Amino acid sequence: MQIIRDIAMLHRAVTALKQGGRSVALVPTMGALHDGHLSLVRMARRVADHAVVSIFVNPTQFGPNEDFAAYPRDEARDAALLVDAGTSLLWAPDVGTMYPGGHSTHIEVAELGADYCGAARPGHFDGVATVVAKLFNQVRPDIAIFGEKDWQQLAIIRRMARDLDFGIDILGAPIARDTDGLALSSRNTYLSDGQRAAAAAFPAALSAAAKAIAGGADVGETLAKAEAAIVSGGFDSVDYVALADADSLERLISFRKPARLLAAARIGKTRLIDNWPVG
């Protein structure tokens, strides 16, 4: 596996990977890799000839009181995992490479980024869209793969890629979950043993709510019950639990397909997100 930090070298390396009509799939990450990330790499290898993974902890998607400095970083461990997963190239730029002096451009996907995590984390999705657009231009992949755990992010990237004519196939990979249902996340490492045990209440509440709504239960009452179940299970607060159109992210007051439950909740100092298909 090549590890590259210079854009000119990256372009030469990707050109070489694409020789003979071979395809490249990009998996953007912020490192601290777990099996959820590795499932994306395995998917990349199934759908393309080469898997390219980026590791970059993007400062522009963190708010002033968020965990940028504390975000887990262990490139040597991550690189070893990527070698075992069959990755062809690791793109690992530093902040100066991604945002050279004078950088003043950002991308906003206005409607899709305004609600849910966008409301709770102002500017977050502008940072995500901007860095992903830069990664697309740097790596020039044929396919890009994102986990479905952050459904809002996936919807935003799909819209951006369509609106800006990137010509890249954006694929969503199913959520990787632990045995108790909790979605795998780098932020799970922040949880104490007690918090980790309590966190199983989150996916359990969403699963039950999705089943109830699909069965005809009142949407408002079901969302309120889900929020109460999350808090009673040990969470400190719930940012939102919402039924949304799976494509437009419009909030729904009655069930229609395709629909997705979207949720974010806080336990201790950790904010977790999850989502669940309905129907």
Side-chain angles (χ1 to χ4, degrees):
M1 182 182 74
Q2 303 174 76
I3 301 177
I4 296 178
R5 306 179 195 278
D6 174 80
I7 290 178
M9 291 180 62
L10 173 69
H11 289 168
R12 290 194 293 271
V14 172
T15 297
L17 292 179
K18 287 187 170 187
Q19 284 183 347
R22 290 174 293 180
S23 57
V24 166
L26 170 66
V27 179
T29 82
M30 294 205 301
L33 302 183
H34 49 66
D35 196 57
H37 296 107
L38 298 178
S39 72
L40 307 187
V41 178
R42 292 190 289 269
M43 183 176 179
R45 295 194 65 207
R46 290 195 301 271
V47 300
D49 296 304
H50 292 286
V52 172
V53 176
S54 64
I55 293 179
F56 178 67
V57 184
N58 177 35
T60 67
Q61 69 190 68
F62 288 80
N65 298 312
E66 294 183 340
D67 57 350
F68 173 71
Y71 196 86
R73 296 164 171 85
D74 191 343
E75 186 184 295
R77 171 188 171 276
D78 291 344
L81 291 173
L82 293 174
V83 168
D84 289 343
T87 306
S88 296
L89 188 155
L90 169 58
W91 170 229
D94 60 19
V95 173
T97 298
M98 290 299 291
Y99 298 111
H103 185 278
S104 58
T105 301
H106 78 272
I107 293 174
E108 177 187 7
V109 184
E111 294 179 2
L112 294 182
D115 202 351
Y116 313 115
C117 285
R121 306 176 68 190
H124 168 70
F125 286 118
D126 293 355
V128 170
T130 301
V131 78
V132 170
K134 289 176 69 67
L135 289 170
F136 286 174
N137 284 329
Q138 291 163 352
V139 178
R140 302 168 187 171
D142 304 287
I143 299 164
I145 300 175
F146 296 83
E148 292 182 349
K149 180 173 73 72
D150 194 333
W151 190 267
Q152 185 176 14
Q153 173 179 276
L154 177 60
I156 286 169
I157 290 166
R158 282 176 167 154
R159 181 70 60 82
M160 178 191 73
R162 186 198 73 182
D163 290 353
L164 299 184
D165 302 313
F166 274 108
I168 297 169
D169 290 331
I170 310 298
L171 303 184
I175 300 171
R177 297 185 181 275
D178 213 332
T179 54
D180 61 359
L182 185 67
L184 298 185
S185 170
S186 301
R187 288 188 168 90
N188 291 353
T189 60
Y190 299 161
L191 302 175
S192 68
D193 290 344
Q195 290 169 341
R196 176 61 190 81
F202 194 20
L206 297 183
S207 175
K211 183 177 180 180
I213 290 171
D218 180 82
V219 170
E221 292 178 4
T222 303
L223 297 180
K225 288 178 181 178
E227 183 170 340
I230 294 167
V231 173
S232 65
F235 279 74
D236 297 294
S237 62
V238 175
D239 282 1
Y240 60 86
V241 178
L243 181 68
D245 181 282
D247 298 323
S248 70
L249 304 185
E250 173 195 358
R251 287 186 184 246
L252 302 177
I253 59 174
S254 60
F255 173 49
R256 70 167 190 261
K257 293 183 180 181
R260 203 94 182 178
L261 280 177
L262 308 179
R266 300 175 187 268
I267 183 167
K269 296 181 179 179
T270 305
R271 183 179 187 272
L272 299 179
I273 62 171
D274 204 346
N275 67 86
W276 212 275
V278 183

